[in-house]
Amino acid sequence: MEEQKQAKQRILSGIQPTGVFTLGNYMGAIVNWEQMQEDYDCAYFIADLHSLTVRQEPAELRKHTIEAFALLLACGIDPEKSLVFVQSHVHTHAEMGWVLCCSALMGELGRMTQFKDKSAKHADNINAGLFTYPVLMAGDILLYQADYVPVGQDQRQHLEFTRDLAERFNHFYGNVFKIPDGYYPKAGAKVMSLQDPTSKMSKSDPNPNSFISILDDRPVILNKFKRAVTDSEAEIVYREGKDGINNLITIYSVMTGKSIPEVEKEFEGQGYGTFKMAVGESVADRLQPIRDEFNRLVGEKKYLEELMAVGADRAYRISRRTLEKAKKKVGLLLP
Ligand code: TRP
């Protein structure tokens, strides 16, 4: 008897090309993206259109876009298994964004906390794109009829907005969009600053010792872990109030695949110095092949461009179906 092949559910997520990813981006997002490739039909893209909402140096943005693409591949996102592309290469995204803008409400967009935060931070450039950012993101998701969208907590509100917008559109015009669900990584995957373990690890932190870039080399990584802020006790246990140690235990646990109790047991009675070095080594071991593969790939620009073109073409063929359906429903005459 022929086996019934169930279509896999679709996962979609994007990442902005704003410089080399940190260990935080890697552990919080990309490790999950890589694992999900086995069980889902995955689409991952570089959200370069979203980056335009904050002023960019054009040459830098171009460089960061190709580097971000190479990094995804170096981290194990496999274009044979997943759809990988650059957002601006697929014009359906901008077009869907416009159609959806006409169903999005000023009031709901004005309530987005990221808009409020970014307007405060870039008071000299509160552009309309910053305001409609969540609509573009909704289009990214809805075009592919995604079932699940893995995002960090900071994007949760945008995903809720996407669901509301899709429901509203479907209600007014008829069923076009699948209503996507969020897919939130386990709490343990949140990585904190090595210098101030109460705040999230961020590549925009002015102190480079506070974050690990996934392209840092071994001596740099070890040095940063050596300087990591801990506490004045001498106990390697995961406990409230021990933010620095908790962060190091989490990192070691994800890097080695050991559970938190296993890590506590392994380092029982040992000093912080030894532990920090072990964490540093585990990170350096894990990142080494990624750095090697990235360095190889950035030297193969032609190959990367070919992969981008293949990805864009596939993405276009999938997304145009939804776009055409939506255009038809709102009354646009298809050519
Ligand atoms: N806004 C997301 C971020 O900055 C990136 C993004 C753009 C995205 N479009 C998306 C994420 C669609 C998930 C789905 O992190």
Side-chain angles (χ1 to χ4, degrees):
M1 217 172 13
E2 201 172 295
E3 202 182 312
Q4 279 269 335
K5 236 189 156 182
Q6 273 256 316
K8 287 182 182 171
Q9 290 184 299
R10 174 164 283 137
I11 290 268
L12 175 136
S13 199
I15 191 161
Q16 291 195 45
T18 42
V20 173
F21 311 149
T22 65
L23 183 65
N25 301 124
Y26 178 65
M27 283 174 48
I30 300 167
V31 166
N32 294 309
W33 290 12
E34 188 203 352
Q35 284 165 1
M36 286 184 283
Q37 294 183 110
E38 308 306 324
D39 302 321
Y40 297 94
D41 187 3
C42 298
Y44 300 123
F45 66 95
I46 309 300
D48 56 345
L49 293 173
H50 278 97
S51 296
L52 295 180
T53 59
V54 172
R55 209 161 273 133
Q56 301 283 337
E57 162 61 55
E60 285 283 290
L61 179 58
R62 273 191 287 274
K63 180 166 168 274
H64 285 156
T65 301
I66 199 151
E67 286 179 357
F69 190 83
L71 270 176
L72 285 188
L73 304 185
C75 289
I77 304 301
D78 179 354
E80 299 275 322
K81 291 185 195 154
S82 303
L83 173 58
V84 199
F85 63 97
V86 175
Q87 186 186 29
S88 70
H89 293 178
V90 190
H91 64 73
T92 49
H93 289 245
E95 222 176 321
M96 188 79 254
W98 175 255
V99 174
L100 290 173
C101 256
C102 300
S103 284
L105 304 174
M106 299 286 285
E108 60 188 346
L109 290 176
R111 282 195 294 276
M112 295 291 134
T113 53
Q114 192 173 82
F115 171 67
K116 292 191 240 176
D117 291 350
K118 285 197 179 171
S119 319
K121 215 168 131 196
H122 306 280
D124 59 334
N125 183 24
I126 306 178
N127 61 75
L130 201 58
F131 190 67
T132 57
Y133 176 116
V135 187
L136 182 63
M137 178 162 162
D140 297 337
I141 298 166
L142 300 175
L143 276 173
Y144 297 84
Q145 307 286 356
D147 294 281
Y148 296 107
V149 184
V151 283
Q153 287 300 331
D154 62 326
Q155 299 296 320
R156 203 177 189 128
Q157 200 185 20
H158 292 161
L159 195 65
E160 279 307 311
F161 162 78
T162 301
R163 293 165 54 89
D164 292 345
L165 185 61
E167 273 167 10
R168 187 178 313 140
F169 189 101
N170 285 349
H171 175 75
F172 277 112
Y173 297 111
N175 226 1
V176 174
F177 301 122
K178 179 173 269 178
I179 311 299
D181 278 308
Y183 193 109
Y184 302 100
K186 293 176 213 79
K190 186 165 177 191
V191 184
M192 310 306 281
S193 156
L194 297 181
Q195 291 298 311
D196 170 14
T198 58
S199 67
K200 202 174 137 182
M201 180 179 282
S202 161
K203 61 191 158 204
S204 51
D205 195 312
N207 181 354
N209 284 326
S210 72
F211 62 88
I212 302 287
S213 146
I214 65 169
L215 298 177
D216 280 346
D217 63 18
R218 183 175 296 266
V220 170
I221 295 171
L222 294 180
N223 194 35
K224 287 181 181 177
F225 276 100
K226 200 158 143 191
R227 291 154 177 256
V229 169
T230 50
D231 53 52
S232 54
E233 302 174 355
E235 224 188 337
I236 300 165
V237 287
Y238 194 101
R239 187 168 66 215
E240 174 132 26
K242 290 176 75 74
D243 299 313
I245 290 295
N246 294 350
N247 190 35
L248 296 177
I249 291 179
T250 302
I251 294 172
Y252 189 76
S253 157
V254 173
M255 291 294 116
T256 59
K258 294 176 187 165
S259 69
I260 288 175
E262 280 168 354
V263 179
E264 290 172 337
K265 192 139 199 296
E266 182 175 345
F267 292 97
E268 204 179 319
Q270 304 213 39
Y272 283 178
T274 315
F275 178 52
K276 284 184 189 180
M277 280 307 93
V279 182
E281 294 285 355
S282 74
V283 171
D285 288 348
R286 180 69 168 262
L287 298 185
Q288 173 97 47
I290 295 176
R291 198 170 74 246
D292 293 346
E293 179 63 359
F294 172 81
N295 289 333
R296 188 185 74 77
L297 284 168
V298 286
E300 309 248 352
K301 201 154 166 250
K302 264 240 131 51
Y303 172 69
L304 291 175
E305 284 168 355
E306 266 167 40
L307 285 181
M308 284 180 178
V310 171
D313 187 56
R314 270 190 64 206
Y316 173 67
R317 280 185 282 116
I318 298 171
S319 60
R320 66 175 279 198
R321 283 183 236 142
T322 308
L323 178 67
E324 284 183 1
K325 209 165 156 191
K327 284 168 93 171
K328 223 161 145 176
K329 291 276 191 195
V330 298
L332 295 172
L333 192 60
L334 294 185

